Amino acid sequence: MKSIFILIITCFTITTNHIDKTILEDSQKCNAELTVEQNRNFKWAVNGSLNFSLILTNTTSNTTTYSLSTKRLKEACVTIPNKKSLKNNIDFDVSLQMNDSKNTFKHSSKNEITLSGGQTYKFVVTISIPEGTPYDNYSCIEVEAKSKDCEDSNSAKTTLSVYVSNPSEG
């Protein structure tokens, strides 16, 4: 009886360890980092357009396809010294520019990039500020890279912040 109990416990332990290892391997194949070049997540603007250079890194050893997207955040992400309050989080025109293509993809399109394990990819997010945009407004844009192989996992995200300043306040 004792040997049957030991055999059952041993099988349970081996099965549990295999399941834990499989879950860990699956989650690790979904890892990525998304950073803004030189950590320049915040920019001041008056009008025209701003470019943010982003770098996506596949931190796994597997080839993974990532879907890139942007969305305007509703909550504030900007704090400006000496400003009591900021106005609206404006919905500026945002586009992704893929460096290996002549195409410019809009944020509503499916933007996909496949990276080998350890490979990095640089792309540009352009934010267009229309002429006549009121001063003291800001926009917070979240950029996300989500692995197509791991829909339920966390994605790599970063937030870009644009503040439309009054040029006369220098």
Side-chain angles (χ1 to χ4, degrees):
M1 188 68 156
K2 185 178 180 180
S3 60
I4 292 175
F5 178 73
I6 291 173
L7 180 63
I8 291 172
I9 294 297
T10 303
C11 289
F12 176 75
T13 304
I14 290 171
T15 303
T16 303
N17 286 341
H18 177 72
I19 290 170
D20 288 345
K21 183 179 177 185
T22 303
I23 290 170
L24 179 63
E25 287 172 352
D26 284 347
S27 69
Q28 288 177 341
K29 76 177 183 183
C30 302
N31 291 344
E33 289 179 4
L34 183 61
T35 57
V36 180
E37 196 169 56
Q38 299 179 351
N39 293 319
R40 293 186 178 162
N41 293 55
F42 178 85
K43 293 191 178 184
W44 298 72
V46 176
N47 59 35
S49 62
L50 298 171
N51 291 326
F52 290 87
S53 295
L54 278 76
I55 301 168
L56 174 62
T57 304
N58 179 353
T59 59
T60 73
S61 58
N62 302 315
T63 297
T64 306
T65 299
Y66 298 95
S67 177
L68 304 174
S69 63
T70 62
K71 74 174 180 180
R72 179 179 62 91
L73 299 177
K74 293 181 179 164
E75 60 276 356
C77 68
V78 177
T79 306
I80 307 295
N82 302 323
K83 292 286 182 186
K84 292 181 181 166
S85 66
L86 294 175
K87 297 179 182 118
N88 301 332
N89 187 356
I90 296 197
D91 193 10
F92 293 129
D93 211 15
V94 179
S95 63
L96 297 174
Q97 296 175 346
M98 312 299 268
N99 290 335
D100 64 346
S101 163
K102 293 181 181 176
N103 297 322
T104 298
F105 300 95
K106 292 292 183 185
H107 69 283
S108 60
S109 301
K110 278 198 165 195
N111 309 308
E112 295 179 355
I113 184 70
T114 301
L115 299 177
S116 300
Q119 186 178 7
T120 61
Y121 179 73
K122 185 176 174 179
F123 62 98
V124 175
V125 175
T126 300
I127 300 172
S128 299
I129 299 139
E131 199 169 320
T133 298
Y135 302 132
D136 293 330
N137 280 283
Y138 67 93
S139 186
C140 302
I141 296 106
E142 180 180 82
V143 183
E144 177 180 39
K146 187 162 187 71
S147 169
K148 293 192 63 148
D149 300 326
C150 311
E151 293 296 325
D152 295 333
S153 71
N154 289 335
S155 54
K157 297 178 184 178
T158 192
T159 301
L160 307 177
S161 305
V162 176
Y163 173 66
V164 180
S165 62
N166 185 340
S168 65
E169 291 181 4

